[in-house]
Amino acid sequence: MRIQSLLKVVFAVFYLVGSPFQAFAQATPPKASEPRPAMTVTVTRAQTQNLSQRISANGTVAAWQEASIGAEIGGLRLTEVRVNVGDQVKAGQVLAVFAADNVLAEINQAKAALNEAKAVAAEAQANADRARALQPSGVISAQQFNQSLTAEATAKARVESALALMAVHELHLRQTQVKAPDNGVISSRGASVGAVVGLGTELFRLIRGNRLEWRADLVSSELFQIKPGHKVLLQGAGTGAVTGTVRMVAPTVDGQNRTGMVYVDLPSGAMQSLKPGMYARGEFEIGASAASLVPQQSVVIRDGFSQVFVVQADQRVKLLKVSLGRRQGEWLEVTAGLPADANVVVRGAGFLTAGDLVKVVTDAPTAGSLPVAKP
């Protein structure tokens, strides 16, 4: 009985005071856990490369020169039209023919008038020759002598007039055939068989030499950077790229929009992918300069700004706003906002927030494979 009573007292003390092991556990504070990285990332530093300097512009493709081919003679009927839009023609090729009946009749009339003038001139010359022979003997008066010489000169002038009229009618006969002034392609046609057209009426338009040009508008600040001979990479809608050459920079700037025109010659085969009147965007290559590059993967857009994460000494990331410039493949030029020695996050940048703790591994990309532009 006494032993049972003693056990009850011991259990009561344990219940009220607690186990000594429990008391030791409560007296020892828990050890703080180590912070865990939010993500494993790769980092790189900005790479320096020479990149081409380019200026982008918009413009319109146009014919270098578009010749207007019109009727050089009026009031005649078109009997033949030998070409259509898109046809390639050569210089001197007959494009259309007018009815020549009226012109041939005028030529016959002019021939008759010429023959008559020649007959009168022959008679006047004979009379003048006799007067010259008799004038020393005094058989004819001075008045008669002068009249003979005047009649001879007048007859010769009438012959020359008839010859000139004949040449005019022969010219009209040649003008009944409309010919191409140069090699090229027919871009429009207004001629129809049977039509009677007036003098100067446009019958065709011709793109001379199949030669196109691109006319680009540039602001005045960019205009002075463009020089004749600069190359231009031209990209039309849905077409392959075409390389042109700057021919001329306009000497004036438009007073309304403050832009100037740049004329770019396109290669002979450009008509296979570009057409006059098309809108096209191009890039002028004006040289090369050093650029600080980061992978495109490193750049994140937050709050409408281009930003990059950099890893600090405590392995936490900081978000920096940067300004971007040119693009070279999968790399972007950073023009401002990034220290040269910054460790820029590459893989995982899109999933971080400022202040995150990260673990860095070393398989970061380098720009060694980028094509290097020659300065």
Side-chain angles (χ1 to χ4, degrees):
M1 283 298 288
R2 294 179 64 184
I3 293 174
Q4 290 179 352
S5 299
L6 183 59
L7 289 174
K8 287 181 179 179
V9 172
V10 172
F11 281 124
V13 172
F14 267 87
Y15 178 79
L16 294 174
V17 178
S19 166
F21 299 105
Q22 183 179 359
F24 176 77
Q26 290 178 349
T28 304
K31 189 175 182 179
S33 61
E34 295 291 336
R36 299 182 61 185
M39 182 173 292
T40 299
V41 300
T42 60
V43 298
T44 187
R45 290 190 177 182
Q47 309 288 310
T48 301
Q49 294 281 351
N50 278 342
L51 294 187
S52 297
Q53 289 182 290
R54 296 184 175 182
I55 295 177
S56 298
N58 299 319
T60 303
V61 179
W64 166 65
Q65 286 186 0
E66 196 169 24
S68 175
I69 305 172
E72 297 180 271
I73 188 171
L76 299 182
R77 177 174 51 87
L78 274 169
T79 58
E80 292 182 63
V81 178
R82 299 182 180 179
V83 294
N84 212 333
V85 174
D87 288 350
Q88 296 285 340
V89 299
K90 295 182 178 180
Q93 180 179 335
V94 177
L95 309 180
V97 179
F98 286 99
D101 297 343
N102 291 345
V103 180
L104 290 173
E106 290 173 349
I107 288 177
N108 291 333
Q109 185 178 8
K111 284 182 179 179
L114 177 59
N115 292 334
E116 180 182 0
K118 286 181 177 179
V120 172
E123 180 182 5
Q125 184 175 0
N127 292 335
D129 289 342
R130 283 194 297 271
R132 290 188 188 93
L134 295 174
Q135 194 269 342
S137 63
V139 174
I140 61 173
S141 64
Q143 182 180 4
Q144 290 176 323
F145 178 73
N146 290 334
Q147 287 176 348
S148 298
L149 297 182
T150 301
E152 179 187 31
T154 302
K156 287 182 178 179
R158 287 174 179 171
V159 170
E160 293 175 357
S161 177
L163 286 170
L165 183 61
M166 183 72 179
V168 169
H169 291 309
E170 289 176 345
L171 175 61
H172 289 168
L173 181 62
R174 292 193 296 272
Q175 290 172 343
T176 58
Q177 292 187 336
V178 180
K179 296 182 179 181
D182 197 357
N183 299 336
V185 60
I186 300 297
S187 59
S188 69
R189 165 188 158 178
S192 300
V193 173
V196 177
V197 300
L199 178 65
T201 301
E202 184 179 281
L203 304 176
F204 306 96
R205 293 190 76 85
L206 174 73
I207 298 176
R208 295 187 60 193
N210 296 334
R211 184 174 166 184
L212 299 180
E213 67 180 12
W214 180 58
R215 300 170 184 172
D217 286 319
L218 276 80
V219 297
S220 55
S221 59
E222 297 174 336
L223 203 62
F224 290 98
Q225 302 180 56
I226 307 300
K227 304 296 181 184
H230 279 164
K231 296 299 180 182
V232 183
L233 187 64
L234 198 64
Q235 184 69 46
T239 66
V242 174
T243 301
T245 305
V246 175
R247 183 180 79 252
M248 182 183 69
V249 179
T252 59
V253 173
D254 190 292
Q256 299 295 324
N257 53 27
R258 308 303 178 187
T259 61
M261 189 77 71
V262 177
Y263 298 87
V264 177
D265 283 335
L266 300 181
S268 57
M271 289 195 70
Q272 297 177 2
S273 55
L274 298 171
K275 302 295 181 185
M278 285 182 61
Y279 170 87
R281 183 172 181 81
E283 290 186 335
F284 295 85
E285 297 181 1
I286 59 173
S289 63
S292 180
L293 304 176
V294 297
Q296 179 183 349
Q297 188 179 356
S298 298
V299 180
V300 295
I301 306 298
R302 301 283 172 89
D303 301 325
F305 296 97
S306 298
Q307 304 183 62
V308 296
F309 285 100
V310 297
V311 179
Q312 302 179 101
D314 60 358
Q315 300 299 298
R316 294 188 181 274
V317 295
K318 181 180 180 181
L319 194 58
L320 299 179
K321 291 181 181 179
V322 295
S323 299
L324 301 180
R326 293 164 285 179
R327 182 189 187 100
Q328 181 70 48
E330 297 299 320
W331 293 72
L332 298 175
E333 178 188 15
V334 177
T335 58
L338 183 65
D341 58 349
N343 291 316
V344 181
V345 176
V346 182
R347 190 181 68 190
F351 303 98
L352 295 174
T353 57
D356 282 349
L357 182 68
V358 296
K359 178 181 178 182
V360 177
V361 294
T362 58
D363 59 340
T366 64
S369 60
L370 286 176
V372 179
K374 294 180 179 180

